């Protein structure tokens, strides 16, 4: 168990998570190790094991933090607007999701390994935040699109969240991937993540205009 005050434990956990997140900006998931994460912290590498048993648990903490930030974006969207058009809602939602590239990358590329090698207690805490993000989005839909039934809202969520799991590799293809698509005769649609999300949300909302 970690030793020290709750403030110290939180501070050290955040330092570890920050170090891992910084590495993930330039390195792949498989190349990041506890050793490398430890080298970017102010305390000894073995101390990390007092807080996280595996690197996957550190990545799960990143993913949890990303979802908490996503929830704040959704709550801000609900708070800042009394009425909003379908197109404007889609635009704001897309801009908010674009800020969560780390979340989308982890969902698309590393989620299975992260969950498989994290303790159940950590996984449950993440799933609670994941569920809270779905409810925050549902609250936006209830406010801005009152014509939507609860079944309509559930259907939106069950389509939109799988979309979030897959949009990153499509929208963030590197040059090598684009070249491979060209050689395979596949047309690469040059849409950015924000535009793909905006168009997708507009389609999902269908006839549910608020006016």
């Amino acid at each position: 168990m970690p030793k020290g005050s709750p403030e110290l434990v939180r501070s050290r956990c955040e330092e570890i998570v920050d170090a891992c997140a910084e590495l993930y900006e330039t390195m792949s998931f498989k190349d990041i190790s506890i050793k490398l994460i430890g080298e970017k912290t102010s305390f000894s590498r073995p101390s990390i094991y007092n807080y996280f048993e595996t690197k996957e648990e550190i990545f799960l903490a990143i993913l949890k933090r990303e979802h908490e930030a996503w929830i704040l974006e959704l709550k801000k969207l609900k708070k800042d607007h009394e009425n909003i058009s379908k197109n404007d809602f889609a635009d704001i939602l897309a801009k908010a999701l674009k800020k969560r590239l780390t979340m989308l990358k982890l969902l698309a590329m590393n989620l299975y390994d992260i969950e498989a090698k994290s303790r159940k207690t950590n996984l449950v805490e993440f799933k609670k935040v994941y569920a809270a993000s779905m409810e925050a989005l549902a609250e936006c839909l209830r406010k801005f699109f009152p014509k939507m039934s609860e079944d309509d809202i559930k259907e939106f969520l069950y389509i939109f969240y799988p979309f979030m799991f897959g949009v990153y590799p499509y929208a963030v293809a590197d040059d090598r991937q684009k070249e491979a698509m060209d050689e395979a005769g596949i047309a690469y649609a040059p849409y950015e993540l924000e535009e793909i999300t905006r168009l997708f949300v507009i389609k999902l909302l269908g006839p549910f205009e608020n006016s």
Side-chain angles (χ1 to χ4, degrees), residues 181-192:
M181 292 176 73
D182 286 339
E183 291 183 22
I186 302 172
Y188 177 74
Y191 293 129
E192 293 186 354

Side-chain angles (χ1 to χ4, degrees), residues 9-204:
V9 171
R10 281 194 297 271
S11 175
R12 287 198 163 181
C13 285
E14 282 298 308
E15 185 176 349
I16 293 166
V17 170
D18 287 343
C20 185
E22 184 178 341
L23 289 169
Y24 194 55
E25 291 177 4
T26 58
M27 297 179 63
S28 69
F29 174 85
K30 67 181 180 61
D31 290 333
I32 295 173
S33 64
I34 292 286
K35 180 177 184 295
L36 288 174
I37 295 169
E39 289 173 355
K40 297 185 72 67
T41 66
S42 62
F43 45 92
S44 66
R45 177 176 65 86
S47 296
I48 290 178
Y49 291 105
N50 291 322
Y51 306 93
F52 302 96
E53 287 191 356
T54 64
K55 77 168 185 180
E56 285 80 10
E57 288 190 348
I58 303 173
F59 275 99
L60 188 67
I62 294 174
L63 199 50
K64 180 173 178 282
R65 186 168 70 178
E66 284 288 311
H67 277 77
E68 289 168 342
W70 171 236
I71 290 169
L72 291 177
E73 292 281 355
L74 294 171
K75 288 184 175 181
K76 185 176 188 301
L77 169 57
K78 181 186 175 188
K79 179 182 177 182
D80 288 353
H81 301 273
E82 285 303 318
N83 295 287
I84 194 170
S85 70
K86 178 171 61 179
N87 285 4
D88 286 345
F89 178 81
D91 186 56
I92 295 170
L93 192 65
K95 284 182 168 63
L97 193 60
K98 186 180 179 181
K99 297 178 183 178
R100 308 266 66 82
L101 287 180
T102 297
M103 178 180 82
L104 297 176
K105 184 178 178 182
L106 286 170
L107 288 174
M109 301 174 68
N110 308 119
L111 183 64
Y112 183 85
D113 287 333
I114 289 171
E115 292 194 344
K117 296 182 180 179
S118 293
R119 284 169 290 178
K120 186 178 178 181
T121 52
N122 296 31
L123 188 54
V124 168
E125 288 305 307
F126 165 66
K127 293 298 185 181
K128 288 179 180 178
V129 175
Y130 179 85
S133 76
M134 295 183 77
E135 180 56 27
L137 180 52
E139 285 296 316
C140 289
L141 296 172
R142 291 186 186 105
K143 178 177 181 178
F144 300 128
F145 305 99
K147 292 181 182 179
M148 295 183 79
S149 68
E150 287 302 307
D151 284 343
D152 293 326
I153 291 171
K154 184 182 294 185
E155 183 176 287
F156 182 101
L157 296 175
Y158 286 174
I159 295 173
F160 184 75
Y161 269 72
F163 163 83
M164 293 203 308
F165 278 70
V167 68
Y168 181 88
Y170 184 86
V172 194
D174 60 26
D175 290 339
R176 183 170 173 271
Q177 290 168 320
K178 292 176 184 177
E179 289 173 5
M181 292 176 73
D182 286 339
E183 291 183 22
I186 302 172
Y188 177 74
Y191 293 129
E192 293 186 354
L193 185 142
E194 185 178 328
E195 180 65 7
I196 294 172
T197 303
R198 189 182 71 83
L199 293 172
F200 186 68
V201 171
I202 290 171
K203 288 287 186 182
L204 281 184

